[in-house]
Amino acid sequence: MYRRSHLSGNALEFVRRRILIITLFAWLPLLFLSVLAGHALHGAIKIPFLYDIEAHVRFLIALPVLILAEVIVHARISPLVRRFVERRIVVAEDLPRFNAAVDSALRLRNSTVLEVTLLVSVYTLGLWIWRSQIAVGEATWYAIPDSTGSHLTLAGHWYNFVSIPIFQFMLLRWCMRLVLWFRLLWQISRLELHLTAAHPDRSGGIAFLGKSSYAFAPILFAQGAVLSGLIASRILYQGRSLLSFKMEIVGLVVLFVLFILGPLAMFTPRLVETKRKGSFEYGLLANRYIFGFEEKWIRSAAPEMNELLGTSDIQSLADLGNSYGFVRDMRIVPFGLDDITRLAAATIIPLLPLALTVFSAEELLTRLVKIIL
């Protein structure tokens, strides 16, 4: 559909065009219909359209980021899959199974049946969840409640049947693709992988999986932006404080980061076995080398100083110590604290403006300067 409407080429070209057209299609009719009904700036409603921070954040920030993320993820994840072969992590005997797993993931990613299922879910379960759990239950630009229930305005009908489904579909589509990515990684983790405990990345040679998670940072940013908009609306129009949401903020940030990095723990059994085997093998090698070193340079006749200074044995001993250090410090998950920190930061950044509901801009700037200095 993208290609036929000239919103994309065969290689995800025209991303700016997609962002502009889809964003305007979701947001601009809401503005026009709200102005037409007199609900844009004022009226007998609690939340006019131009004051609805939640809607603007959802369609003018989160939605464009979700569209842009497709290009970013494609650019970073496609080469990542090849690294398993280029670095000889997948042994030759398992290459057919590896290629079959990749082909299966691509078929499911492009499955029309899956995307139609997502669309049906959006127009059934998705809209029910939005109207029952997320929508504000007071007079707004999109719905006016009365004694018989809540009635959608003209803008509300577009919001309910076009804009919200577009956003939910994009979000669910990303969830589906993440699940397919994790399914592919699970299939790869079942193969006979060539991992080494002495690899400098301290993850057996697959630390690039943790680094690859940065590709999904835009998705976490979009989720954080949606959460920020929702909290901002509750603070401004329901009188709640930012601190009343602290548990939700912390919990959701942790949940989002775990959703991206948690599945990488499927490689933990392989990494544990690699570390155990490496500790035994390198420990045995270290014993043999040190015994030989001591026999040659300590227990034998005192060597000449020039001979000792010119030998490479001492440097080899140091190199062996470095290798054993890599084995000892090897992680049992293919990611580190810096990966966790960066993904958490991507989620938290959209929430930072909420601090202005607690501190003035001057107070916030003063505190930031004190922290930095």
Side-chain angles (χ1 to χ4, degrees):
M1 188 174 67
Y2 273 166
R3 288 195 296 268
R4 290 181 179 180
S5 58
H6 304 290
L7 292 179
S8 175
N10 293 327
L12 298 177
E13 302 95 331
F14 316 135
V15 62
R16 293 180 182 177
R17 187 183 301 177
R18 285 199 299 280
I19 291 174
L20 180 63
I21 297 300
I22 296 175
T23 299
L24 290 181
F25 188 73
W27 181 84
L28 195 57
L30 303 180
L31 174 62
F32 174 76
L33 293 173
S34 295
V35 171
L36 194 64
H39 295 154
L41 281 171
H42 49 76
I45 55 175
K46 186 171 184 179
I47 307 178
F49 175 72
L50 292 179
Y51 289 87
D52 191 345
I53 297 176
E54 182 181 348
H56 301 319
V57 168
R58 178 182 287 115
F59 298 119
L60 299 180
I61 297 178
L63 181 58
V65 170
L66 289 176
I67 299 170
L68 176 64
E70 187 168 21
V71 176
I72 296 173
V73 171
H74 179 75
R76 296 200 61 171
I77 296 300
S78 296
L80 180 72
V81 175
R82 294 195 295 268
R83 291 183 192 176
F84 283 99
V85 178
E86 294 169 349
R87 299 187 181 190
R88 298 189 295 173
I89 295 173
V90 176
V91 298
E93 293 79 5
D94 275 340
L95 278 178
R97 292 174 60 193
F98 175 81
N99 292 329
V102 173
D103 292 340
S104 174
L106 291 176
R107 284 196 303 272
L108 288 173
R109 185 197 68 180
N110 299 327
S111 170
T112 303
V113 173
L114 274 181
E115 296 210 338
V116 169
T117 301
L118 293 182
L119 196 61
V120 172
S121 300
V122 163
Y123 275 100
T124 53
L125 182 62
L127 289 183
W128 176 80
I129 291 175
W130 177 75
R131 297 195 67 174
S132 62
Q133 303 295 325
I134 301 176
V136 178
E138 302 183 52
T140 67
W141 59 271
Y142 58 82
I144 307 293
D146 59 21
S147 58
T148 61
S150 182
H151 302 281
L152 294 175
T153 63
L154 284 174
H157 281 90
W158 190 275
Y159 191 49
N160 190 71
F161 296 109
V162 179
S163 302
I164 289 294
I166 286 176
F167 180 79
Q168 289 185 343
F169 177 78
M170 291 292 185
L171 197 57
L172 280 179
R173 192 165 177 255
W174 270 119
C175 291
M176 178 196 74
R177 291 189 168 193
L178 283 168
V179 169
L180 293 179
W181 168 240
F182 298 144
R183 173 180 175 269
L184 173 61
L185 291 181
W186 180 82
Q187 291 175 321
I188 293 174
S189 72
R190 302 299 98 188
L191 302 178
E192 191 64 36
L193 303 179
H194 183 203
L195 305 178
T196 174
H199 199 286
D201 71 0
R202 290 181 169 82
S203 292
I206 56 173
F208 60 85
L209 289 176
K211 305 304 177 188
S212 72
S213 62
Y214 302 163
F216 302 114
I219 301 171
L220 296 186
F221 181 90
Q223 293 276 38
V226 172
L227 177 61
S228 178
L230 189 147
I231 293 174
S233 291
R234 301 307 186 265
I235 291 174
L236 294 176
Y237 299 111
Q238 293 184 0
R240 299 183 61 178
S241 68
L242 177 61
L243 294 179
S244 68
F245 291 97
K246 59 181 181 297
M247 296 305 298
E248 288 88 346
I249 292 173
V250 173
L252 287 173
V253 169
V254 171
L255 178 64
F256 293 153
V257 174
L258 282 178
F259 183 69
I260 299 297
L261 291 178
L264 298 184
M266 64 184 72
F267 288 91
T268 294
R270 294 284 186 186
L271 293 173
V272 169
E273 176 62 21
T274 299
K275 184 172 183 177
R276 184 198 64 79
K277 184 179 178 182
S279 296
F280 172 78
E281 293 176 342
Y282 276 84
L284 180 60
L285 175 63
N287 277 357
R288 291 169 57 189
Y289 188 88
I290 290 173
F291 291 159
F293 183 89
E294 290 178 344
E295 186 67 29
K296 179 178 180 180
W297 296 106
I298 298 177
R299 295 192 179 92
S300 62
E304 294 290 336
M305 183 57 65
N306 291 337
E307 183 183 2
L308 181 62
L309 292 176
T311 183
S312 61
D313 291 351
I314 295 179
Q315 182 60 49
S316 298
L317 181 63
D319 292 340
L320 180 60
N322 289 335
S323 297
Y324 192 80
F326 287 138
V327 175
R328 182 190 63 241
D329 298 336
M330 177 183 167
R331 297 187 294 260
I332 59 173
V333 289
F335 56 86
L337 182 60
D338 57 332
D339 304 321
I340 297 173
T341 302
R342 293 190 182 190
L343 290 180
T347 311
I348 293 172
I349 286 174
L351 295 164
L352 294 181
L354 293 175
L356 293 173
T357 64
V358 179
F359 307 104
S360 67
E362 183 179 352
E363 290 175 324
L364 188 60
L365 182 60
T366 302
R367 289 172 179 264
L368 288 174
V369 169
K370 288 181 178 179
I371 293 173
I372 294 173
L373 299 180

